[in-house]
Amino acid sequence: DIQLTQSPSFLSASVGDRVTITCRASQDITSYLAWFQQKPGKAPKVLIFGASALQSGVPSRFSGSGSGTEFTLTISSLQPEDFATYYCQQLNGYPRTFGQGTKLEIK
Amino acid sequence: QVQLQESGPGLVRPSQTLSLTCTVSGDSISSGGYYWSWIRQHPGKGLEWLGYIYNGRTAFSNPSLRSRLLISGDASKNQFSLRLTSVTAADTAIYFCAREGYSDSAPYYRVLDSWGQGIVVTVSS
């Protein structure tokens, strides 16, 4: 299975901050990576697909980059509604796998 | 706009079989290009991909659960189902159904773009 390792696991930040979350894959997954946001009691919501393409309706303060084995999700200016848990997922092979999550909390 | 809704029992006894159904509206599980998927989330933990059904009848399951997991579809009802045998407390989780397809816009990558709200399943005697 392709392992995805996210860092950090927890992140404390303030409204207006720029934050970056990293996802590392155990093997080359080219650009077959998506990022999700999950809020308590809700299903995950896709933010980014294809490593860097913004899903329709997602604010432009979210961006993704990377290819191969290292990827990043950046939020350029945190808004109150962005405090949530973020997951990466690889869609290069089966079984599909997710990172362990990054919980973004208000400082 | 596709919608997915999970249904099934919220409590299952250990060693019994968990059966869940996902009802789809706004799309057909028989339509090509979409993988109708199951994902679960253990309490306070991350996401685990369980498997999918394609074209309403071709299924693929996570090898870690393959001996206990069956995913099937009923095109006449536009539903797909999960059947997990010999459950233990380790199967206690929120179970989500979701649709994996190609993105609506370029670049055309696969993406889990629609999810059900999830159903909480507890395995306990």
Side-chain angles (χ1 to χ4, degrees):
Chain A
D1 297 4
I2 299 172
Q3 306 299 320
L4 297 179
T5 303
Q6 287 181 234
S7 60
S9 295
F10 297 93
L11 182 55
S12 182
S14 301
V15 172
D17 283 354
R18 177 185 180 91
V19 299
T20 297
I21 299 168
T22 297
C23 178
R24 289 187 172 88
S26 60
Q27 63 188 73
D28 187 345
I29 58 171
T30 62
S31 295
Y32 292 98
L33 188 102
W35 289 97
F36 293 87
Q37 176 193 68
Q38 187 180 31
K39 296 183 178 179
K42 300 292 187 181
K45 168 190 168 185
V46 63
L47 303 173
I48 301 286
F49 63 91
S52 60
L54 194 67
Q55 176 74 353
S56 176
V58 174
S60 59
R61 63 181 179 273
F62 292 92
S63 63
S65 64
S67 67
T69 61
E70 188 152 337
F71 304 85
T72 59
L73 172 70
T74 299
I75 310 172
S76 60
S77 179
L78 276 172
Q79 298 302 301
E81 61 268 29
D82 299 337
F83 292 94
T85 301
Y86 293 84
Y87 295 94
C88 56
Q89 184 209 14
Q90 65 81 18
L91 297 98
N92 185 69
Y94 292 96
R96 305 298 200 214
T97 48
F98 294 86
Q100 82 279 12
T102 295
K103 187 173 184 179
L104 177 54
E105 299 179 324
I106 301 174
K107 183 182 287 185
Chain B
Q1 179 79 0
V2 64
Q3 293 188 329
L4 300 95
Q5 178 70 58
E6 304 88 351
S7 60
L11 178 66
V12 183
R13 306 299 182 193
S15 80
Q16 299 299 304
T17 295
L18 165 64
S19 295
L20 298 175
T21 296
C22 182
T23 301
V24 178
S25 58
D27 198 356
S28 168
I29 67 165
S30 299
S31 61
Y34 290 114
Y35 294 171
W36 301 94
S37 308
W38 287 100
I39 296 108
R40 70 180 179 181
Q41 185 168 36
H42 293 105
K45 302 295 184 182
L47 300 159
E48 180 183 16
W49 183 88
L50 301 181
Y52 69 78
I53 191 162
Y54 174 72
N55 263 349
R57 57 184 180 274
T58 302
F60 184 91
S61 300
N62 192 321
S64 67
L65 291 168
R66 192 166 286 161
S67 63
R68 297 195 295 130
L69 178 62
L70 176 67
I71 296 174
S72 60
D74 186 339
S76 66
K77 297 180 180 179
N78 213 29
Q79 296 174 332
F80 63 104
S81 299
L82 169 156
R83 188 169 180 271
L84 186 64
T85 62
S86 304
V87 297
T88 70
D91 296 308
T92 293
I94 302 170
Y95 287 76
F96 295 99
C97 58
R99 184 184 77 171
E100 180 189 307
Y102 283 103
S103 52
D104 291 338
S105 58
Y108 297 101
Y109 284 91
R110 298 200 68 84
V111 61
L112 277 166
D113 62 357
S114 300
W115 294 65
Q117 64 186 25
I119 184 168
V120 176
V121 176
T122 302
V123 178
S124 175
S125 55

